[in-house]
Amino acid sequence: MDDKTQLIFNFINESSSNMPYVLKDKLIRDGKKLKYRFEFEEIKNSIDEFIEGNELNRFIVLPGIRGVGKTTLLYQAYYYLLNEKHILPDQIIYLSCDDLNNIVDCNIREIVDIYLNNQFNTQLRLLDKEIFLLIDESQYDKNWSMSGKIIYDRSEKIFMVFTGSSALNLEYNADAARRMFKRVVTPLNYNEHLIEI
């Protein structure tokens, strides 16, 4: 394993091992789990359909301005997969491309290839188990939409949620657009805010 591969693999493993503490810190307040935003229902329904064998909505893109809750949606998806759907932790990859970009250039497709090769000794086309890919700040990979398209085309076993800045609205290509389900995450409206309190 070369140095770059080792760095990426270590980064993913460290992120995964820290996730129980992150979930507890970010999703639990005063001993109670935070309520889900309305957008989470769409993610949850897509996860359920994917697990049941319907691969239609397995590439979800959530653009939005900073601070509207995109990262929280990913944490909630991780929590749901782990605690309610009982997916094994090594089948859930959460990573923040801005954090990874401080170590190496972020390339989502390369990251997935490295993880599958080193964790499961397989590659995209041969993958025989479901993998859930939760990518935050995906705009740090300049080719995020092409990475998503290639992953989507090469394996029906990967479910992806990409979040990022509002610039994601402008940064995807036509081939990827046909495969993705895009839902802009906006600030909570008054009614949603009252539910959150």
Side-chain angles (χ1 to χ4, degrees):
M1 192 182 303
D2 65 29
D3 288 346
K4 181 179 179 182
T5 300
Q6 187 69 57
L7 281 171
I8 291 171
F9 191 64
N10 289 347
F11 180 87
I12 295 169
N13 283 334
E14 183 179 321
S15 178
S16 179
S17 65
N18 290 336
M19 193 51 71
Y21 308 104
V22 172
L23 296 177
K24 185 176 179 186
D25 181 54
K26 301 294 184 184
L27 299 181
I28 309 295
R29 300 268 162 76
D30 299 323
K32 295 180 187 172
K33 190 169 66 160
L34 289 178
K35 294 181 179 164
Y36 293 129
R37 287 184 57 126
F38 293 136
E39 291 90 350
F40 179 73
E41 283 302 314
E42 292 174 340
I43 297 170
K44 178 179 165 293
N45 290 339
S46 294
I47 288 171
D48 292 345
E49 289 174 7
F50 176 74
I51 290 171
E52 291 166 11
N54 177 357
E55 294 103 14
L56 232 76
N57 290 332
R58 58 186 172 87
F59 183 8
I60 298 173
V61 177
L62 304 172
I65 62 173
R66 283 180 125 2
V68 295
K70 301 180 301 293
T71 301
T72 300
L73 285 167
L74 289 184
Y75 292 154
Q76 289 172 329
Y78 197 108
Y79 184 92
Y80 179 72
L81 287 164
L82 195 63
N83 295 300
E84 296 184 38
K85 301 311 279 186
H86 307 292
I87 302 297
L88 296 174
D90 66 354
Q91 291 176 250
I92 310 169
I93 303 169
Y94 167 86
L95 64 95
S96 179
C97 288
D98 60 341
D99 287 343
L100 181 59
N101 210 41
N102 288 327
I103 302 169
V104 295
D105 285 336
C106 188
N107 179 320
I108 295 167
R109 181 173 167 230
E110 182 181 18
I111 291 163
V112 171
D113 288 341
I114 288 169
Y115 187 74
L116 294 179
N117 185 39
N118 289 283
Q119 185 69 31
F120 300 113
N121 196 30
T122 192
Q123 52 189 288
L124 279 168
R125 292 190 193 278
L126 303 176
L127 187 61
D128 63 355
K129 60 176 66 185
E130 294 166 342
I131 300 293
F132 297 85
L133 186 59
L134 308 175
I135 306 291
D136 205 7
E137 302 291 352
S138 58
Q139 76 273 4
Y140 282 89
D141 176 355
K142 293 175 183 70
N143 296 313
W144 70 268
S145 68
M146 184 55 70
S147 291
K149 175 205 173 294
I150 291 168
I151 293 167
Y152 182 97
D153 288 347
R154 292 196 178 169
S155 178
E156 294 180 352
K157 293 289 192 179
I158 296 188
F159 180 92
M160 301 175 282
V161 182
F162 288 17
T163 74
S165 72
S166 296
L168 290 186
N169 284 323
L170 307 172
E171 295 174 350
Y172 60 87
N173 64 39
D175 286 333
R178 292 184 299 130
R179 292 159 174 80
M180 69 174 70
F181 170 75
K182 185 177 76 166
R183 172 76 149 88
V184 177
V185 181
T186 58
L188 294 174
N189 66 35
Y190 184 68
N191 289 333
E192 290 172 320
H193 179 68
L194 290 178
I195 290 170
E196 290 292 310
I197 297 177

